[in-house]
């Protein structure tokens, strides 16, 4: 794969008058932070090294196939391992797999697992476990669905070797098995993986570097992981989701603190060690604090998007979707939500800018927003003036300001918009239903959208598509063609056609790209560069 070169030059924020205000808020939050963290933190052995982290959001369920919420993906990486990983340079590299090969006709793939792989209960990882995990993953993930549609059968050759027999050659076998973002192919015991993907699992027996301590889980307060002494890391240096996952602390405690000022106060007081996703308004203060470092763990970046509910009026009408697309303005979202020069940029492409498939083809609705044109399109669409329900999450600072911008721009175009605010767990529950919502806004890690199959957001497979359920046979046929294309030139041409079609039918609206930093105490080192924050290789001195 072409090396991914996207990195933004960050401009250090200048001191502003808001610093005084922010410092005052943090000072006022101090006692609350100390009280909250003190009540939530357990009392481990004094000889243990404990890393205390405020995660990206609260963790409400544990099944990595239940939703694409990033906190659940991150939980999955703590306790499970994968067959392949992706390095920070975009290379697909073996992880649990030792060796692999394919036949000359490309229709038979054989994989052998590394020696010494065990689950948390001490039982060996076998081919049967892998095959069951593959099948469960293939029920939910868009790349998994495509891959398994080409699979004639999966067979266990022996306890460590399995074979994938294809109906015809498929060009994205390794990319599918190793793509790092939700849904991720995590390897579970067969008894767990045999659970249908539509049913949530509660057995957290994993294959990865950390063990989830269910007995210490306090919902909405604390999630605890401990070092897995049975885990056998690879010998290569860690990079992205690939390489050696060396655990260098005894415990990782995820401490749920929803208020951003309270998070910052707890960090500066030393009650916690890391904030995964600090609010942007705190960056200037945290950047200048003598005990705090701002760490880049995702050099590829992230993006914002808006998702329509295609299932019901008014957005089951493509002309209404196009009117909304013409109304939305990337700079307005980016400046309001991020606002720090060098930490955001417009990107008029469905694929991350400066990556192989990035293109401006078909993006005029997004690149040239026009309120008057949007008003005319809405009038021509037959929109009946019904209220558009916009779901807004309140407990994730990195997207909290987006809904207000969307309402303003859509209202100017003639839409009637009702923002309904809720926490992230409630939003993920609401968006899972066909009724009760029309729009939600979300963020994505850019690595998820490197090609037309890797991102859930690209699917137009009707009921099998991601929330919003776009339904378009032409788009799905183009994605099938991409999957079997034989050359990079063919894939690039098809990726562009897919983008054009996606924008014609309005699957979603890209709202620009942004960067984030992890805020950490300076005695915490070893963060792995990749696509999101992971906690193997991290040390606390």
């Amino acid at each position: 794969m072409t090396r991914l070169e996207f990195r933004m030059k960050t401009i250090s924020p200048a001191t502003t008058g808001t610093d005084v205000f922010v410092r005052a808020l943090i000072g006022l939050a101090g006692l609350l932070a100390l009280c909250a963290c003190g009540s939530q933190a357990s009392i481990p052995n004094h000889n243990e090294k404990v890393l205390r982290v405020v995660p990206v959001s609260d963790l409400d369920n544990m099944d990595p196939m239940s939703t694409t919420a990033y906190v659940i993906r991150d939980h999955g990486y703590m306790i499970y391992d994968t067959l392949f990983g992706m390095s920070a340079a975009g290379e697909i590299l073996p992880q649990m797999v030792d060796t692999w090969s394919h036949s000359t006709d490309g229709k038979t793939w054989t994989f052998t697992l590394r020696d010494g792989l065990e689950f948390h209960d001490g039982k060996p990882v076998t081919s049967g476990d892998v095959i069951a995990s593959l099948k469960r993953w293939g029920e939910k993930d868009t790349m998994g669905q495509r891959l398994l549609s080409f699979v004639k059968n999966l067979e266990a050759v022996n306890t460590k070797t399995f074979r994938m027999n294809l109906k015809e050659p498929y060009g994205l076998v390794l990319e599918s098995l190793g793509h790092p973002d939700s849904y991720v192919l995590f390897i579970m015991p067969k008894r767990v993986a045999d659970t249908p993907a539509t049913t949530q699992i509660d057995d957290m027996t994993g294959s990865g570097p950390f063990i989830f301590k269910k007995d210490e889980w306090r919902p909405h307060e604390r999630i605890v992981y401990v070092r897995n002494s049975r885990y056998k890391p690879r010998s290569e240096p860690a990079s992205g989701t690939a390489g050696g996952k060396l655990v260098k602390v005894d415990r990782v405690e995820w401490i749920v603190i929803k208020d951003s000022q309270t998070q910052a106060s707890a960090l500066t007081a030393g009650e916690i060690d890391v904030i995964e996703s600090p609010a942007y308004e705190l960056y200037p203060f945290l950047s200048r604090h003598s005990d705090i470092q701002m760490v880049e763990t995702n050099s590829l970046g992230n993006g914002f998007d808006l998702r329509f509910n295609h299932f019901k009026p008014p957005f089951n009408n493509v002309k209404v979707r196009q009117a909304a697309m013409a109304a939305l303005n990337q700079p307005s979202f980016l400046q309001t939500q991020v606002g720090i020069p060098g930490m955001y940029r417009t990107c008029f492409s469905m694929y991350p800018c400066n990556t192989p498939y990035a293109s401006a083809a078909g993006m005029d609705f997004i690149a040239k927003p026009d309120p008057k044109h949007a008003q005319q399109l809405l009038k021509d669409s037959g929109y009946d003036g019904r209220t558009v329900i916009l779901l807004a999450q309140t407990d994730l600072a990195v997207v909290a300001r987006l809904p207000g911008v969307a309402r303003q721009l859509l209202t100017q175009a003639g839409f009637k918009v009702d923002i309904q605010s809720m926490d992230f767990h409630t939003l993920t529950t609401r968006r899972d239903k066909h009724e009760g919502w029309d729009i939600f806004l979300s963020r994505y890690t850019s690595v998820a959208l490197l090609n037309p199959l890797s991102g859930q957001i690209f699917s137009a497979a009707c009921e099998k598509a991601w929330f919003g359920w776009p339904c378009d046979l032409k788009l799905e046929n183009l994605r099938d063609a991409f999957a079997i294309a034989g050359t990079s030139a063919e894939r690039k041409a098809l990726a562009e056609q897919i983008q054009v079609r996606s924008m014609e039918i309005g699957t979603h609206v890209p709202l620009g790209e942004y960067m984030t930093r992890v805020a950490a105490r300076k005695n915490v080192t070893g963060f792995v560069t990749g696509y999101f924050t992971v906690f193997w290789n991290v040390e606390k001195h």
Side-chain angles (χ1 to χ4, degrees):
M1 178 179 288
T2 304
R3 181 178 177 84
L4 306 177
E5 295 292 346
F6 170 35
R7 295 177 64 91
M8 290 186 180
K9 179 181 179 182
T10 302
I11 301 174
S12 299
T15 303
T16 67
T18 60
D19 267 5
V20 176
F21 179 64
V22 171
R23 288 174 187 271
L25 287 176
I26 291 172
L28 288 172
L31 290 177
L32 176 60
L34 292 171
C35 178
C37 289
S39 65
Q40 292 166 348
S42 60
I43 305 175
N45 184 309
H46 288 297
N47 294 323
E48 287 186 319
K49 287 190 176 181
V50 182
L51 187 72
R52 294 186 175 90
V53 178
V54 177
V56 292
S57 62
D58 196 2
L59 183 67
D60 287 284
N61 82 69
M62 306 291 173
D63 186 349
M65 292 301 127
S66 64
T67 179
T68 53
Y70 287 147
V71 70
I72 297 177
R73 172 205 64 193
D74 296 346
H75 162 77
Y77 273 110
M78 293 292 282
I79 68 171
Y80 300 107
D81 209 351
T82 58
L83 296 178
F84 290 84
M86 182 184 284
S87 74
E91 303 165 287
I92 300 296
L93 300 173
Q95 195 60 30
M96 298 179 82
V97 167
D98 183 20
T99 61
W100 72 98
S101 62
H102 59 79
S103 59
T104 54
D105 64 3
K107 294 169 67 173
T108 302
W109 290 71
T110 304
F111 304 87
T112 299
L113 299 173
R114 292 193 286 129
D115 291 333
L117 299 181
E118 293 185 3
F119 289 109
H120 295 165
D121 59 7
K123 294 181 180 177
V125 179
T126 70
S127 299
D129 300 309
V130 171
I131 289 171
S133 298
L134 267 163
K135 290 178 178 178
R136 189 170 196 263
W137 164 75
E139 292 181 45
K140 296 295 288 285
D141 182 71
T142 56
M143 287 195 85
Q145 290 169 355
R146 274 300 192 287
L147 173 61
L148 292 191
S149 72
F150 284 82
V151 172
K152 181 165 60 177
N153 69 294
L154 296 163
E155 59 175 322
V157 178
N158 54 48
T159 57
K160 286 178 52 183
T161 301
F162 65 97
R163 185 169 291 139
M164 181 183 296
N165 297 303
L166 305 178
K167 302 169 191 173
E168 57 182 296
Y170 184 76
L172 298 171
V173 172
L174 297 185
E175 289 85 350
S176 300
L177 300 179
H179 88 94
D181 206 12
S182 302
Y183 298 97
V184 180
L185 174 52
F186 293 124
I187 303 305
M188 307 174 176
K190 184 178 185 300
R191 69 174 189 278
V192 179
D194 280 340
T195 306
T198 52
T199 302
Q200 286 189 23
I201 60 173
D202 58 11
D203 184 335
M204 293 294 108
T205 304
S207 53
F210 292 92
I211 297 172
F212 169 61
K213 291 284 290 178
K214 190 172 185 178
D215 60 323
E216 295 190 51
W217 179 33
R218 302 292 179 267
H220 314 301
E221 293 184 8
R222 186 183 74 243
I223 305 99
V224 177
Y225 306 90
V226 297
R227 181 203 310 264
N228 175 16
S229 61
R230 297 181 182 275
Y231 182 73
K232 183 178 180 181
R234 295 191 68 91
S235 59
E236 302 91 342
S239 177
T241 59
K245 299 179 179 180
L246 302 174
V247 177
K248 298 182 178 181
V249 294
D250 300 297
R251 292 166 62 92
V252 177
E253 296 182 356
W254 286 3
I255 308 296
V256 179
I257 306 175
K258 294 186 178 181
D259 177 75
S260 57
Q261 277 82 28
T262 308
Q263 292 175 5
S265 184
L267 183 67
T268 57
E271 294 296 313
I272 60 171
D273 304 299
V274 178
I275 304 173
E276 275 199 72
S277 186
Y280 282 108
E281 58 265 29
L282 296 175
Y283 273 43
F285 168 74
L286 293 173
S287 296
R288 282 187 290 275
H289 194 284
S290 60
D291 295 325
I292 306 302
Q293 57 181 322
M294 303 297 285
V295 183
E296 180 187 88
T297 60
N298 176 5
S299 58
L300 186 58
N302 315 271
F304 298 124
D305 68 271
L306 180 146
R307 188 75 165 178
F308 301 112
N309 186 343
H310 292 237
F311 188 82
K312 60 184 283 291
F315 293 113
N316 61 346
N317 181 339
V318 65
K319 293 182 178 180
V320 177
R321 297 196 296 272
Q322 290 174 346
M325 292 166 71
L328 300 176
N329 182 314
Q330 282 194 9
S332 295
F333 286 98
L334 294 167
Q335 291 163 11
T336 301
Q337 180 60 64
V338 182
I340 301 175
M343 295 291 288
Y344 65 87
R345 70 173 178 193
T346 57
C347 178
F348 305 119
S349 170
M350 273 187 14
Y351 313 105
C353 283
N354 290 353
T355 62
Y357 298 124
S359 167
M363 300 297 291
D364 283 355
F365 273 120
I366 313 301
K368 301 174 183 177
D370 184 339
K372 291 185 178 179
H373 183 45
Q375 291 170 7
Q376 187 61 51
L377 287 171
L378 189 61
K379 181 179 179 181
D380 295 344
S381 74
Y383 169 64
D384 59 6
R386 71 179 62 209
T387 299
V388 170
I389 298 173
L390 193 165
L391 303 184
Q393 61 190 82
T394 57
D395 56 346
L396 188 58
V398 74
V399 296
R401 296 180 179 180
L402 298 177
V405 179
R407 177 172 61 182
Q408 179 183 3
L409 295 174
L410 291 171
T411 299
Q412 289 173 357
F415 287 93
K416 184 178 179 181
V417 181
D418 175 26
I419 291 183
Q420 297 189 7
S421 299
M422 61 205 69
D423 62 26
F424 182 58
H425 173 66
T426 304
L427 187 148
T428 58
T429 302
R430 284 275 297 272
R431 74 182 182 183
D432 195 32
K433 298 177 174 61
H434 288 151
E435 301 295 331
W437 70 275
D438 299 296
I439 288 174
F440 70 88
L441 296 108
S442 65
R443 61 173 185 151
Y444 56 83
T445 50
S446 294
V447 70
L449 307 188
L450 292 180
N451 69 64
L453 301 184
S454 62
Q456 309 299 320
I457 203 167
F458 294 144
S459 174
C462 308
E463 285 297 315
K464 289 185 176 181
W466 198 54
F467 312 110
W469 311 283
C471 192
D472 187 72
L473 181 60
K474 180 177 179 180
L475 182 54
E476 288 303 287
N477 286 340
L478 285 169
R479 293 173 76 228
D480 278 335
F482 179 90
I484 60 175
T487 68
S488 58
E490 288 176 312
R491 285 184 187 164
K492 187 169 180 61
L494 284 163
E496 187 169 286
Q497 293 175 49
I498 289 165
Q499 175 170 288
V500 170
R501 183 58 181 171
S502 181
M503 291 298 100
E504 284 175 351
I505 68 170
T507 54
H508 65 288
V509 186
L511 297 177
E513 298 182 336
Y514 67 100
M515 300 296 288
T516 57
R517 297 290 184 270
V518 172
R521 303 281 300 179
K522 286 187 176 177
N523 64 330
V524 179
T525 62
F527 287 99
V528 177
T529 300
Y531 309 106
F532 35 81
T533 307
V534 296
F535 293 103
W536 54 82
N537 283 56
V538 174
E539 294 187 74
K540 181 178 176 180
H541 304 281

